[in-house]
Amino acid sequence: MPIAIEMPKLTDTMEEGILVEWSVEEGDKVSAGDVIALVETDKATMDVEAYDDGVLLKKVANTGDALPLGGLIAVLGDAGEDIAELLKEYQSNGVDSSSTPDSSNEAPPAVVQAATHQPAASPQESSSTNGRTKASPLAKRMATDHGLKLVDVMGSGPSGRIIKRDIQAEIDRTHVLKPSLPSPQVPVSAERGYESIRISSMRKTIARRLAESKDTSPHFYLNADVDVGALIAQRQTVNEYLEKSSGFKVSFNDFITKACASGLIMHPDVNVTYASEDGVIHRYNYVDVGIAVAIDDGLVTPVVRDAHLKSVSTIGLEIQALATRARDKQLDLSEMEGSTFTTSNLGMFGIESFTAIINPPNACILAIGSIRDVPVVEDGAVVAGKRMKLTLSCDHRVVDGAVGARFMSTLKELLENPVSLLL
């Protein structure tokens, strides 16, 4: 009998997946464990594997389709096997497939025939049954995303069911603004409007998790202005040596990561998470630092494990490799989960300071600003100085002000005396 391949739950927070690429073609023989497609989840692009042997009888989902968990991706079975009943079963359960109108921009034959032979004024069958509006899951999701009411949309699917193209037509009709003729003195474009861009699964998860963090974790912020003159000189010395031996250079961020790891070992009450469901605080005897990395779809936080045990150069090599694979969406889930502390650096964009939202389930996140040239007073004289602003966001449920302040004091001391980070 034919075997349905459904959208699997590839991450703990995944709610839907976007089919990025097919790895096999219809008619290909597939063995259990073979990768049949790539799917974009809320965290990364991941492989979808077949769990049985057989022939790929039908690709149900198209490239770019967003499918909910359990949505039908493909059908596997014996060559020539009839799959009509299986497709009908998924369609009757409200799961779109390529045999239903949602997976194509083309109307099904029955609808085309009706549109061809019926007068233009002929009313379509209502999409409402017993007070409930019939719509595909994809159409409902699109309507929600764009603030549309299903009752205002006329369905063109079977029995008046609202499908993808109906919602898209309503979006095109209502979201393009056509102003009246402009005044001759004020030239404007002939047609004004905006583009509705469907957000990725990753962006949806980022929005949900950070909103939850801000709502559930009472944030407070601690600021420090660090003298980085010695750090600049120390980095230059280290890089001169590394360039001769390996051609690799460490960044200021690598030194800061090491300083955070050393400081967290000295202040374990900051290196914690709050297990609210159990009413306990987990205090860790190791430091796994999450490094916020910007990618096209949002933000990921690859983790440097046991950062307190690694040298600055080792941390630098690891961060560079993780960041590259993060931007290529090649990170494994194991490389993005389990951090005990997180850093976010916007200094390379010229941002002097900012406050970051805590990355759950961490209790703190450090925001790193740019290095600034500022006048400072030394021994009664005004001289040129180098400063960097750091901001620690703390979850007040588990980290008190004095605890966070002591950590920041240690972090400042380590960065202003960076040779200690090399010992």
Side-chain angles (χ1 to χ4, degrees), residues 113-415:
Q113 184 178 12
T116 302
H117 297 289
Q118 289 184 2
S122 176
Q124 300 184 47
E125 187 174 354
S126 171
S127 62
S128 179
T129 303
N130 296 328
R132 298 176 59 190
T133 302
K134 294 187 295 182
S136 70
L138 178 57
K140 291 178 181 178
R141 187 165 58 250
M142 289 176 66
T144 299
D145 290 345
H146 291 86
L148 299 177
K149 295 181 179 179
L150 290 174
V151 293
D152 296 334
V153 180
M154 184 66 72
S156 64
S159 301
R161 187 171 185 243
I162 297 171
I163 57 176
K164 174 183 176 181
R165 66 166 172 268
D166 302 323
I167 298 297
Q168 188 60 57
E170 187 69 9
I171 293 169
D172 295 341
R173 184 182 71 82
T174 59
H175 285 202
V176 176
L177 309 178
K178 297 183 178 180
S180 58
L181 290 175
S183 166
Q185 292 81 16
V186 185
V188 297
S189 58
E191 185 173 277
R192 300 173 63 209
Y194 62 84
E195 179 184 5
S196 296
I197 301 173
R198 183 177 180 83
I199 64 175
S200 66
S201 299
M202 179 180 295
R203 173 56 64 186
K204 286 182 180 178
T205 300
I206 290 171
R208 176 175 55 79
R209 283 172 58 84
L210 294 185
E212 290 173 356
S213 173
K214 198 68 173 177
D215 287 343
T216 60
S217 304
H219 287 50
F220 74 92
Y221 309 98
L222 299 171
N223 303 300
D225 204 25
V226 180
D227 180 352
V228 291
L231 178 60
I232 293 172
Q234 189 69 70
R235 174 176 177 259
Q236 182 176 352
T237 300
V238 170
N239 281 339
E240 287 174 355
Y241 171 78
L242 290 175
E243 194 168 16
K244 293 176 182 177
S245 59
S246 63
F248 172 73
K249 292 184 178 182
V250 295
S251 68
F252 291 111
N253 203 58
D254 303 332
F255 275 95
I256 295 170
T257 301
K258 177 62 176 180
C260 287
S262 300
L264 289 167
I265 289 296
M266 290 184 267
H267 300 278
D269 286 339
V270 178
N271 193 40
V272 297
T273 60
Y274 179 42
S276 56
E277 66 279 3
D278 301 322
V280 298
I281 298 173
H282 296 305
R283 183 190 295 127
Y284 301 97
N285 61 1
Y286 59 88
V287 179
D288 289 350
V289 180
I291 310 295
V293 176
I295 62 175
D296 290 341
D297 292 334
L299 198 70
V300 293
T301 52
V303 181
V304 178
R305 307 289 178 190
D306 293 317
H308 58 299
L309 301 177
K310 295 175 179 176
S311 67
V312 173
S313 59
T314 299
I315 289 173
L317 286 167
E318 194 167 328
I319 290 177
Q320 187 178 90
L322 288 169
T324 298
R325 293 192 7 253
R327 295 186 182 100
D328 293 338
K329 294 187 177 181
Q330 294 179 348
L331 288 177
D332 294 331
L333 281 179
S334 61
E335 296 175 298
M336 295 185 283
E337 297 179 334
S339 63
T340 64
F341 185 86
T342 303
T343 66
S344 180
N345 192 340
L346 295 179
M348 69 286 292
F349 298 107
I351 303 301
E352 289 192 4
S353 67
F354 65 103
T355 56
I357 299 175
I358 296 169
N359 178 34
N362 296 171
C364 296
I365 183 171
L366 183 73
I368 304 162
S370 62
I371 294 177
R372 305 155 7 249
D373 292 306
V374 296
V376 297
V377 178
E378 291 184 2
D379 299 325
V382 177
V383 298
K386 298 283 188 178
R387 294 290 188 271
M388 173 189 287
K389 290 184 178 179
L390 304 176
T391 303
L392 185 70
S393 302
C394 304
D395 182 349
H396 215 329
R397 295 176 300 175
V398 290
V399 176
D400 293 331
V403 172
R406 284 193 289 268
F407 168 76
M408 286 293 278
S409 178
T410 296
L411 182 61
K412 178 180 169 70
E413 182 179 353
L414 289 170
L415 292 173

Side-chain angles (χ1 to χ4, degrees), residues 54-78:
V55 174
L56 188 71
L57 300 178
K58 187 173 184 63
K59 297 178 182 178
V60 178
N62 297 316
T63 301
D65 284 354
L67 282 80
L69 298 182
L72 187 60
I73 297 177
V75 180
L76 203 65
D78 297 327

